[in-house]
């Protein structure tokens, strides 16, 4: 029955995250407590800690970078190692871009940029994405001598994602995130030449 148990666990985690999102948007992040989230989700404070370590973690469950970060390794491992690492990262991020394009992600992104503390947490999450991407690349290209190359490719890819997200947030035409990613990766390719 592990499948049923995991499904219930994921449903509870999603219910807690949804309750947190609603409260953060209604009351503000700073005034929402763990007890508020637990009560809104219909769980005890103790149960909350089984699923999340802090209300920051609830916020990151909704934040787009957090969602992308958790999906990134598996998506990268679907790429072929018969291409350059940066090309593979580009394809991987383009495949995941639509996961970020939700009203909830936009709202959480705005909230994450609303205070220096939350903005720093957002930056930390994005740095973690570089590590996840590098680790997945190291599985595809296991030669230890390529580790620095892979890390640089991951840093460039996540940096490109950050630029694309900045443009996407402020784009009045509401173009898809993938369009912004393509444009910034194209600009990076022009700077680097063939890769």
């Amino acid at each position: 029955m592990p499948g049923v148990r995991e499904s219930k666990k994921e449903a509870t985690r999603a219910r807690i995250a949804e309750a947190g999102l609603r409260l953060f948007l209604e009351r503000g992040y700073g005034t929402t407590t763990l007890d508020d989230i637990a009560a809104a989700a219909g769980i005890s404070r103790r149960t909350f800690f089984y699923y999340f370590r802090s209300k920051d973690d609830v916020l990151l469950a909704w934040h787009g970078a957090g969602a992308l970060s958790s999906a990134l390794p598996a998506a990268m491992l679907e790429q072929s190692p018969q291409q350059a690492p940066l090309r593979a990262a580009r394809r991987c991020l383009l495949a995941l871009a639509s996961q970020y394009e939700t009203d909830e992600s936009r709202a959480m992104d705005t909230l994450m940029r609303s205070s220096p503390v939350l903005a720093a947490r957002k930056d930390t999450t994005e740095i973690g994405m570089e590590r996840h991407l590098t680790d997945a690349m190291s599985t595809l290209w296991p030669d230890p001598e390529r580790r620095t190359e892979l890390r640089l490719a991951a840093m460039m890819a996540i940096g490109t994602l950050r630029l694309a997200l900045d443009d996407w947030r402020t784009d009045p035409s509401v173009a898809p995130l993938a369009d912004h990613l393509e444009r910034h990766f194209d600009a990076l390719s022009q700077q680097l030449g063939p890769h």
Side-chain angles (χ1 to χ4, degrees), residues 1 10 13-14 30 56 62-64 67-68 70 75 91 108 119 128 130 144-145 153 161 168-169 178 185 190:
M1 299 291 288
E10 282 304 309
R13 182 177 171 81
D56 281 1
W62 277 108
H63 173 54
L68 280 175
S70 62
R91 290 181 174 160
M108 282 297 105
E130 291 176 8
E145 292 188 16
L161 172 64
W168 176 71
R169 282 183 207 106
F185 269 113
Q190 289 175 359

Side-chain angles (χ1 to χ4, degrees), residues 138-171:
S138 295
T139 300
L140 290 175
W141 296 279
D143 182 354
E145 292 188 16
R146 294 190 74 180
R147 182 71 180 184
T148 299
E149 171 199 352
L150 300 178
R151 189 169 176 209
L152 283 169
M155 291 169 76
M156 286 186 284
I158 298 304
T160 302
L161 172 64
R162 292 176 78 169
L163 287 171
L165 286 170
D166 286 347
D167 286 355
W168 176 71
R169 282 183 207 106
T170 59
D171 181 4

Side-chain angles (χ1 to χ4, degrees), residues 24-37:
F24 293 152
L25 295 177
E26 287 173 4
R27 302 179 184 180
Y29 179 79
T31 58
T32 300
T33 67
L34 292 177
D35 290 328
D36 293 336
I37 297 169

Side-chain angles (χ1 to χ4, degrees), residues 2-158:
V4 172
R5 191 174 13 249
E6 282 303 309
S7 294
K8 286 183 178 181
K9 186 176 175 182
E10 282 304 309
T12 302
R13 182 177 171 81
R15 190 172 76 247
I16 297 166
E18 287 168 11
L21 169 67
R22 188 176 65 255
L23 292 173
F24 293 152
L25 295 177
E26 287 173 4
R27 302 179 184 180
Y29 179 79
T31 58
T32 300
T33 67
L34 292 177
D35 290 328
D36 293 336
I37 297 169
I43 59 168
S44 69
R45 181 183 175 91
R46 182 175 178 187
T47 301
F48 174 93
F49 288 111
Y50 180 74
Y51 293 93
F52 294 98
R53 291 177 303 187
S54 68
K55 69 179 185 178
D56 281 1
D57 288 343
V58 174
L59 184 64
L60 291 172
W62 277 108
H63 173 54
L68 280 175
S69 184
S70 62
L72 194 55
M76 187 65 206
L77 292 173
E78 291 177 4
Q79 297 298 314
S80 166
Q82 304 305 315
Q83 59 187 319
L86 188 57
R87 167 59 78 183
R90 176 182 183 153
R91 290 181 174 160
C92 171
L93 290 173
L94 285 167
L96 293 174
S98 64
Q99 290 186 22
Y100 191 93
E101 296 175 329
T102 65
D103 291 339
E104 291 86 0
S105 289
R106 276 189 191 268
M108 282 297 105
D109 187 73
T110 300
L111 185 59
M112 293 289 285
R113 291 182 290 113
S114 68
S115 82
V117 172
L118 293 177
R121 185 67 193 261
K122 180 179 183 300
D123 290 343
T124 299
T125 300
E126 290 168 351
I127 290 167
M129 290 175 70
E130 291 176 8
R131 279 196 308 275
H132 293 315
L133 189 55
T134 301
D135 291 345
M137 287 177 164
S138 295
T139 300
L140 290 175
W141 296 279
D143 182 354
E145 292 188 16
R146 294 190 74 180
R147 182 71 180 184
T148 299
E149 171 199 352
L150 300 178
R151 189 169 176 209
L152 283 169
M155 291 169 76
M156 286 186 284
I158 298 304

